[in-house]
Amino acid sequence: MTPRLYLEDSYQREFNAEVLEYEDGWCVLSRTVFYPGGGGQPCDRGQLLLEGGSVEVSEIREDAEGRLWHRIGRALAAGTAVRGVIDWSYRHALMRHHGLMHVVNTVARQHFGGVITGVQLGSEESRIDFKLTGFSREQTSDLEGRVNEVLQHGHCVTSSVISEDEFRARPELIRTLNVLPPVVDGRVRIVEIEGFDAQACGGTHVHSTREIGRARIRKFDNKGKDNKRFYWTLTE
């Protein structure tokens, strides 16, 4: 499995590595800070700097062995030394939106009985779907206000790992059965918003809910009797 530096520090923007494998425009590195995508969060993008120039990293994918392949569109020999640099403004925007979706998910569950059915993060707008029985358009301002109250409180956001057995014994850590969190070496990563929520998650996050900013529901759609879709943006 490729060592994933983003799990230790979501704010790390650069790293040194070497090419381990290359195949058809994709390469595996000895370690990486590029997030491969998952849980509704898109993969990172950026560059690999090397002697005599650079190559764009446009996509990341994970194979069955846990290796992360970086799409570069150019042949690089095994052993080539590189310095990876992620597109930080894009990553940070996704981190803010990911934290926002955790807060929205928890507020909807605690105050409106919502069950998340889907989410797609973006750097400018994110979409989240819920099964929300009896929820009306008139309640969107209440939901928005409760979410912003949590954001402005400035809860610390941290991550830790627990055993698979402990994870299985805590069903509240699972928010959707459609996308189960990865179990790596018998452990599961937990992201906690201190004093507010904890859930299994393998994505990247900011250090405080205040860093997310203020949020606004840009659009609300009824997708059926009990299925509701919300589009969220950040206003600062």
Side-chain angles (χ1 to χ4, degrees):
M1 174 175 286
T2 304
R4 304 162 191 235
L5 304 177
Y6 59 83
L7 291 175
E8 301 298 326
D9 182 5
S10 294
Y11 290 77
Q12 184 173 345
R13 309 179 192 190
E14 302 183 12
F15 65 102
N16 293 318
E18 68 175 58
V19 177
L20 298 182
E21 298 181 56
Y22 173 84
E23 184 179 305
D24 296 330
W26 299 76
C27 72
V28 176
L29 302 177
S30 57
R31 59 182 191 158
T32 191
V33 84
F34 285 88
Y35 180 67
Q41 180 175 336
C43 66
D44 282 325
R45 60 195 187 194
Q47 293 181 312
L48 297 183
L49 309 180
L50 57 153
E51 186 175 353
S54 64
V55 293
E56 295 293 323
V57 177
S58 59
E59 190 178 349
I60 315 292
R61 63 176 173 83
E62 181 178 4
D63 66 17
E65 286 73 45
R67 296 174 299 181
L68 297 186
W69 291 82
H70 304 66
R71 186 172 189 175
I72 54 176
R74 168 184 165 182
L76 291 178
T80 300
V82 298
R83 183 165 184 80
V85 181
I86 63 171
D87 182 337
W88 172 246
S89 61
Y90 180 68
R91 155 75 79 82
H92 190 244
L94 290 174
M95 287 164 58
R96 294 173 66 210
H97 274 265
H98 201 151
L100 170 62
M101 292 299 98
H102 275 234
V103 173
V104 171
N105 178 9
T106 302
V107 170
R109 180 174 59 90
Q110 291 180 345
H111 296 281
F112 301 94
V115 177
I116 186 172
T117 56
V119 63
Q120 183 60 54
L121 304 181
S123 58
E124 297 183 358
E125 178 179 274
S126 293
R127 187 204 80 220
I128 189 166
D129 298 341
F130 290 102
K131 181 179 180 181
L132 269 174
T133 303
F135 188 91
S136 67
R137 189 175 301 274
E138 289 71 29
Q139 292 174 283
T140 56
S141 60
D142 186 15
L143 172 60
E144 184 179 296
R146 290 179 184 274
V147 167
N148 278 300
E149 183 179 349
V150 174
L151 297 182
Q152 295 308 303
H153 188 277
H155 297 273
C156 291
V157 182
T158 60
S159 65
S160 60
V161 293
I162 62 175
S163 69
E164 182 177 2
D165 288 342
E166 181 180 352
F167 170 67
R168 301 298 181 193
R170 297 177 60 186
E172 77 278 4
L173 296 175
I174 303 175
R175 296 304 161 83
T176 173
L177 296 178
N178 297 329
V179 182
L180 292 176
V183 178
V184 180
D185 296 329
R187 302 187 302 170
V188 178
R189 185 168 180 260
I190 304 301
V191 172
E192 180 176 2
I193 301 176
E194 189 175 40
F196 176 69
D197 178 60
Q199 57 185 277
C201 181
T204 59
H205 294 272
V206 295
H207 286 160
S208 167
T209 58
R210 190 172 288 119
E211 190 176 341
I212 296 169
R214 291 194 62 83
R216 178 174 67 88
I217 299 174
R218 188 191 67 79
K219 185 180 178 183
F220 168 73
D221 286 337
N222 281 301
K223 305 300 289 185
K225 179 181 177 182
D226 297 326
N227 297 307
K228 315 298 179 182
R229 174 168 292 178
F230 301 83
Y231 296 86
W232 289 81
T233 60
L234 293 171
T235 60
E236 59 181 56

